Amino acid sequence: APAMITLVTRGEPGPDQEALLAQGVQFRGPMYSCLAGFVEPGETLEGAVVREVFEEVGVNVGTVKYMGSQPWPFPHSLMLGFRASYDHGDIVCDPSEIMDAQWFRRDDMPMIPSNISIARSLIDDWLHNN
């Protein structure tokens, strides 16, 4: 199944816009990242984004915009990236998936994944498929 990863934002573009970032239960430590999940059979990509965001953090999103993709080696799949705009709802984390989720301004960001994470996935994909 394709995997999707989504950055949810709220507010008008500019310094006051906020991004919704979460700590997944599978990643111990202070790292916050985007919400991610898998597309279910019979579901559109946009539908998967809306469903996963609601299931994981209880927030409803409106506009969903495709941003790009990258190979994702485990399992051999494709990770599809999206931006989604906040519509309504308060954060309520699914405790089986999310330890914490918060809105962050650009000037007050938590620890986020380094560029190495994308590079590493591309290298691993190359290593395992050559």
Side-chain angles (χ1 to χ4, degrees):
M4 63 86 200
I5 188 163
T6 311
L7 180 64
V8 179
T9 58
R10 77 173 178 186
E12 293 301 311
D16 293 329
Q17 192 175 56
E18 296 172 306
L20 178 58
L21 300 173
Q23 279 180 304
V25 294
Q26 73 273 31
F27 300 111
R28 297 285 172 211
M31 188 85 71
Y32 281 76
S33 190
C34 301
L35 298 170
F38 290 96
V39 181
E40 294 180 351
E43 190 173 44
T44 64
L45 296 171
E46 293 81 2
V49 169
V50 172
R51 176 186 53 78
E52 282 283 349
V53 170
F54 183 75
E55 286 177 1
E56 292 191 357
V57 295
V59 164
N60 293 276
V61 295
T63 309
V64 175
K65 181 184 173 192
Y66 174 72
M67 301 298 286
S69 64
Q70 75 175 78
W72 200 251
F74 308 112
H76 293 287
S77 184
L78 196 58
M79 178 69 83
L80 303 160
F82 293 88
R83 278 276 298 272
S85 60
Y86 172 81
D87 188 75
H88 66 281
D90 295 322
I91 294 173
V92 180
C93 297
D94 171 357
S96 69
E97 300 244 2
I98 304 294
M99 280 183 4
D100 184 48
Q102 296 181 43
W103 293 102
F104 293 97
R105 285 169 52 107
R106 286 179 179 87
D107 58 7
D108 190 27
M109 292 290 283
M111 183 183 291
I112 54 175
S114 68
N115 292 334
I116 294 166
S117 59
I118 291 176
R120 178 59 188 267
S121 69
L122 294 171
I123 291 165
D124 284 348
D125 185 62
W126 172 74
L127 288 172
H128 293 108
N129 289 304
N130 207 31

